[in-house]
Amino acid sequence: MKSPSTAITKLLKLIIADEIFDEVHGDLTELYFDRAENIGQKKAQWHYFIDVLSSVRNLRLRRKLKYYNPTVMYKNYFKITFRNLLKHKGYSFINIFGLALGMSACMLILLFVNNELSFDGFHEKKANIYRLDEVQSFGAVSDQKVALSMYPMGPNLMADYPEIIDFTRFWSMGRTLIKYNDQAHYTEKMVRVDTSFLKMFDFKLLEGNRYAVFDEPNNIILSESLAKRIFGNENPIGELIKMADNEDNQLKVVGIFSDVPDNSHLQFEALLSTKLWDSENRRNGWGSNYLNTYLQLANNADPAALEAKFDDFLVKYMDEEALDYYSLFLQPLNDVHLGSMDITHDYNNHKKFARSSVNIFSLLAFFVLLIASINFMNLSTARATTRSREVGVRKSIGAFKQQITVQFIMESVVFSVIALLIAFGLCYAALNPLNAIIDRDLSISLFFQLEYLILILVVVLAIGLLSGLYPALVMAGFNPVLALKGGVTKSGKSYFRNALVVFQYALAIAIIIGTVLATEQLNFMQRMDLGFDKEQVVAISMYGDTNTKYELLQTELRNQSEIIDVTATSQRLGNNLHQTSMQYRADTALIDGSSSFVSVDDNFIDFYKIEVVQGRALDKSFAEDLAGRSFLVNETLAKELASSGSEVLGMPFHFGGADTLGTVVGIVKDFSYNKLNLKVEPLFMSKQPWGWDEVNIRLKGDKLQEGLQQIEAVWTSLFPQRPFEYEFLDKHFDTMYQSEQQLTKIISVLSGLAIVIASLGLFGLASFTVKQRLKEMGIRKVLGASVGQIVMILSKKFTMLVFMAFVVAAPITYYLMNDWLAGYANKISIGLGIFLLVGIGSWLIALLTVSFQSYRVARSNPVETLRIE
Amino acid sequence: MKIKKRMRGTNLGELEELVLLAVAALNDNAYAVTVKSEIEEKADRTLNISAVHTSLYRLEDKGFLESEVGGATNTRGGKSKRLFKVTAYGFKVLREAQELKQSFWKVIPQLSAEK
């Protein structure tokens, strides 16, 4: 008898769930045969068709598995997972460790980025606090943003604009000697602020009244650690201390605040009221910029609208011309730490950092994690083939496709959780060295805050899930019959895996090229000829009391055998020099401008071996030079002066509103007194009789220690009240590049990790590919292939992959790095050499990785390899 | 979702009750085809096999029936059949339905009068 139509049966198969298809189909077939006997085949066929169609109502019918106990299966999955893990120790190690490396790098960066973003976050009113900054534009100098404002600005702004609720100034005193019971102590950061300071900012006050600490002008509050240094275990409240520079001022300690946290851009050890320095002169001191002003706006105030009114404000208090030189803008408090890279004269910005660097870090961390995840996925997929038998057995016993998928996804999740645990360990081990490199105080405890723990777990589970998905689907798709026969080891279909290898290698190559270029740029800047000689120069700070004996100090020091010369300056080279207003006469007109200025001793040019282009250096045989009426200008300023059409040498010139005009006596070659990523700006120098901020002493090269001892002996004999402290100028220059150095160090580590992880992946992948071709290699060897030939054959494919990765990565990196270098005034050019070097280097690493595997195979006895199966 | 809602509770639909009774009556040889013909014979109505499938699996889901896979015969194209059995719970529910109806019969006057 004819069976029911197969086409209709196929339709039934579409309708009815797999697990009950057999029984339903059987029922329908039985009915069909019954009917065929009774009413004929044709009608039976028709009824069969109707039955199938009406079965649509059972489209969603499933049999609940009565005796299905998933926990048993999950237990089994776990067991198999760990057995596999232990069975292939090498593979498991590579897989898990690679992922753990990527994770820990990512987590450390997370810590760092979190720390950067947390700056100034502890002030409750942070959303309403703004720093008042200026844009200065003087003469030929390009506009520059400065973190400076004028003494009278704060009070007058608050008086004029109701949307400003409060203001405070932050006026640093720099290094100050304070005395208590004739014991002298230096404090690095003594700061004058307005009474409102502690109302605006939430620095923690341990003792004293937040709102009343500055009621008396001579009140002072100290940090916990400074108080401990001065008073030991005594109670400091109510004690009187003196400032060494001004013995008349008795300061009364009225409060103690806990040490300023590291993630505050404002740092201070002692706070005083501005009242003690207040005077009619200062209150009208428009035009002098020397402090920071912070404004607190009303909740509903619009900062942009307020900024628009600042021009009128300047005109009101200064004059129309003020707008030619100044404009004011507001910088949100949360932008000060990360958004001030283009702002100069930013003296009170602790550990200032570039937001772009934070972004680079985050991006790199993401990429490293991505590379690690790809590895993980690649290795798992490659491994899949070796477990086809297991899948075959599971399927024939009755595992559904979905169960196989769940099993393998679960395995990869378990692996990633193990990797996470290892990553925690790695983080813990790496944190202290990292803190030392980047000069931060990061703590791993952040990870155990609930929100971060959840974030980490979610990311880790997502990694496990996503990287497990592809291999899981591949495995679940195995045909059980083929799988059991061991015939699923198709090696041809690995485009996806190859694409992933290319992708991760391209990322690694790009990161490495970027790192090499960034490091080169940094080294280039540090080695560049600055235009003056900074070697073997010792800098010692000067104070009011030491300045009175400067001449004596200089003579005494010059008499020492290991000292070449001694000079003095009002500012240290390498710092961003202060700007001042200047006037010069061209024809008959008096022209206003502004320029950096430093007061120097008459032998300064000679001391630093700065080249004089025209005219002469300062000379103590000229009376005007000693009186501060002779000026040296650098080439940049000379260009600006010359643009007036008059001869620069001999040009009448003065500054800061002095009464008598001096003259320009010399032009010196531009020298880089600034950081080298900035252009050299206009500068003039003269010798002013105000006393010095520091002396510079050049030692003979060979006996530095002896030279230092000689300086110390002279210093302590002259100034027994002052502890001897010094810094080498070249070290000072190094610290200027500290943030760049930290940046390149971290990036170097990250890029190292990237290539290590990528290689780990390649290693794992290579070992599987090689294993798959064991037989082929055995046959080749029997037929006479040499070891070298076999290694070649096996390595060829990976060479291609790395080459493709290079082709993808090189142009993109070139483009990006060109963009980055554009931000530097003095920059290296990107050569082809670096690209070739990195390209060949990564190829060699890949080759080495692969060869290790292929060499082992090539050396092995073909009898062993051919005997398999 | 509708299906799930109806699954709740012990309420038996009319067809479900018939199917349950048929399974009980068929005793060891209850599978979709025999259940169908049993009901068609007793109730003198035609039923589509798919409706029987729906009821059988749903009743099993509710715990009124249990099943095992039985032998395949040639007339079934070599496919196995699922044999159903009423569970203790199923019998309880059947009895309750019966008692419920009985309790109504007791209080309906005309019918008691007819007796």
Side-chain angles (χ1 to χ4, degrees), chain A residues 152-391:
Chain A
M153 277 181 173
N156 286 305
L157 276 171
M158 183 160 145
D160 288 6
Y161 301 104
E163 58 264 52
I164 300 175
I165 294 180
D166 217 339
F167 80 95
T168 183
R169 287 165 290 196
F170 189 88
W171 180 14
S172 182
M173 290 182 68
R175 201 174 157 78
T176 313
L177 196 63
I178 50 180
K179 275 186 173 171
Y180 172 69
N181 284 349
D182 291 327
Q183 279 260 338
H185 302 271
Y186 274 119
T187 159
E188 294 294 337
K189 288 159 259 158
M190 197 160 185
V191 178
R192 291 157 283 196
V193 296
D194 286 295
T195 50
S196 49
F197 184 76
L198 288 176
K199 292 174 207 163
M200 273 168 69
F201 295 105
D202 298 335
F203 293 105
K204 204 170 162 198
L205 204 59
L206 297 175
E207 279 186 60
N209 181 341
R210 201 168 194 92
Y211 302 102
V213 279
F214 297 123
D215 280 356
E216 299 295 321
N218 64 336
N219 281 356
I220 184 169
I221 60 175
L222 307 175
S223 76
E224 209 178 351
S225 57
L226 181 64
K228 197 145 235 162
R229 227 157 65 219
I230 299 175
F231 299 100
N233 291 325
E234 285 175 51
N235 181 10
I237 299 294
E239 296 294 327
L240 295 177
I241 54 178
K242 288 184 216 163
M243 272 185 285
D245 285 340
N246 188 350
E247 300 261 341
D248 305 334
N249 274 334
Q250 293 258 353
L251 300 170
K252 191 172 153 201
V253 180
V254 295
I256 302 291
F257 55 88
S258 56
D259 290 357
V260 178
D262 196 51
N263 62 352
S264 163
H265 86 275
L266 293 173
Q267 293 286 324
F268 46 88
E269 281 187 320
L271 291 178
L272 296 136
S273 168
T274 51
K275 282 180 198 162
L276 204 55
W277 284 265
D278 198 39
S279 69
E280 188 63 31
N281 244 345
R282 286 208 189 278
R283 282 197 295 273
N284 295 319
W286 297 95
S288 308
N289 303 290
Y290 48 83
L291 45 71
N292 295 118
T293 306
Y294 294 85
L295 302 175
Q296 182 192 337
L297 305 192
N299 273 329
N300 53 358
D302 175 13
L306 183 60
E307 276 178 332
K309 299 178 197 163
F310 284 158
D311 281 356
D312 295 337
F313 174 79
L314 289 174
V315 172
K316 177 178 170 191
Y317 288 96
M318 297 173 77
D319 48 31
E320 281 289 341
E321 275 173 31
L323 296 183
D324 294 342
Y325 308 128
Y326 296 109
S327 66
L328 297 177
F329 70 98
L330 294 171
Q331 192 182 20
L333 183 64
N334 65 16
D335 206 34
V336 173
H337 173 65
L338 288 175
S340 298
M341 273 330 205
D342 58 339
I343 296 180
T344 58
H345 298 274
D346 197 359
Y347 304 110
N348 297 305
N349 200 342
H350 181 60
K351 293 184 177 172
K352 160 161 133 172
F353 205 73
R355 176 162 284 135
S356 61
S357 301
V358 172
N359 292 342
I360 290 177
F361 281 162
S362 314
L363 201 67
L364 277 182
F366 173 73
F367 280 153
V368 169
L369 190 62
L370 190 65
I371 292 177
S373 307
I374 289 176
N375 248 357
F376 187 64
M377 187 161 157
N378 239 345
L379 285 175
S380 308
T381 318
R383 283 268 301 125
T385 50
T386 64
R387 288 176 66 183
S388 56
R389 279 221 176 78
E390 180 193 334
V391 175

Side-chain angles (χ1 to χ4, degrees), chain A residues 20 22-28 30-31 33 35 51 54-55 57-58 60-61 63-64 66, chain B residues 1 31-33 36 48-51 53-54 57 60-61 65 67 75-77 79-80 82:
Chain A
I20 57 170
D22 269 5
E23 43 205 74
V24 171
H25 182 214
D27 291 340
L28 262 58
E30 191 177 335
L31 274 179
F33 283 123
R35 285 181 183 132
D51 283 348
S54 49
S55 285
R57 73 160 80 186
N58 295 333
R60 295 156 50 121
L61 199 61
R63 233 186 127 253
K64 270 205 187 146
K66 278 277 167 59
Chain B
M1 285 299 113
Y31 63 101
V33 178
K36 173 179 174 319
N48 189 283
I49 185 83
S50 61
H53 281 137
T54 314
Y57 287 103
E60 185 184 23
D61 227 26
L65 292 178
S67 69
T75 51
R76 293 176 56 84
K79 303 289 180 188
S80 53
R82 182 167 293 280

Side-chain angles (χ1 to χ4, degrees), chain A residues 82-106:
Chain A
F82 285 105
R83 278 186 188 163
N84 260 306
L85 194 149
L86 294 177
K87 191 175 166 195
H88 305 277
K89 288 195 188 68
Y91 151 79
S92 306
F93 174 77
I94 289 174
N95 205 359
I96 293 178
F97 192 70
L99 191 59
L101 270 182
M103 279 182 186
S104 54
C106 205

